[in-house]
Amino acid sequence: MKSEMIEMDESVSVLGEPLAACGEAPVTGYFRDSKCNTCKQDTGSHTVCIEASREFLEFSKSKGNDLSTPMPEYGFEGLKPGNSWCLCAARWLEAYENNKAPRVFLTRTHVKALEIVPMELLKKFAVDLN
């Protein structure tokens, strides 16, 4: 059986600039490289860099994705409000549709997020838009 090589998509933000790091405490990203990089194997599209809020973390937990409870067996200390995290684009959109969307960092959000979330929505929630 031949193993499939994972090829990372180009590391570009929704602003067309080099993708900035999203979070290192805890370390985030599909590749756990602190960036919201992605590839075709990343079926969840972990491409939206968020600033976690209590409201969002509670919403995510209610939907079966508990990001706040520590899981030491995976080296995951759990997210707290204010932490940055590479979130699945569809989860961010679901949170938006339920009025629970967390703020986003455009310089840290991968361009592939735009395949799921319109730029206009990301801009409304941008932490880093001048």
Side-chain angles (χ1 to χ4, degrees):
M1 190 157 86
K2 201 177 194 179
S3 65
E4 189 175 335
M5 190 166 144
I6 296 178
E7 189 173 321
M8 190 184 309
D9 289 344
E10 191 175 359
S11 194
V12 176
S13 78
V14 294
L15 300 176
E17 301 166 348
L19 189 65
C22 179
E24 294 181 4
V27 69
T28 190
Y30 180 77
F31 294 100
R32 292 298 187 257
D33 62 354
S34 81
K35 294 185 176 185
C36 296
N37 281 310
T38 191
C39 63
K40 68 180 179 182
Q41 290 84 356
D42 177 15
T43 56
S45 188
H46 296 76
T47 52
V48 180
C49 182
I50 67 157
E51 178 180 71
S53 65
R54 181 190 52 75
E55 187 176 55
F56 168 73
L57 292 171
E58 288 171 1
F59 170 77
S60 189
K61 186 175 184 176
S62 77
K63 294 296 182 181
N65 187 19
D66 184 359
L67 297 171
S68 54
T69 300
M71 290 188 275
E73 65 273 23
Y74 297 107
F76 180 66
E77 57 198 60
L79 296 181
K80 294 172 180 49
N83 286 148
S84 297
W85 189 252
C86 294
L87 186 65
C88 293
R91 175 67 73 198
W92 187 91
L93 190 58
E94 180 186 29
Y96 169 78
E97 291 166 349
N98 286 275
N99 297 312
K100 306 290 185 196
R103 297 173 62 186
V104 301
F105 295 92
L106 299 179
T107 58
R108 304 174 190 179
T109 295
H110 198 283
V111 68
K112 289 278 187 175
L114 297 177
E115 293 176 2
I116 298 169
V117 182
M119 184 65 163
E120 298 75 41
L121 292 183
L122 292 175
K123 282 182 176 179
K124 283 182 185 178
F125 290 83
V127 174
D128 55 354
L129 191 61
N130 294 334

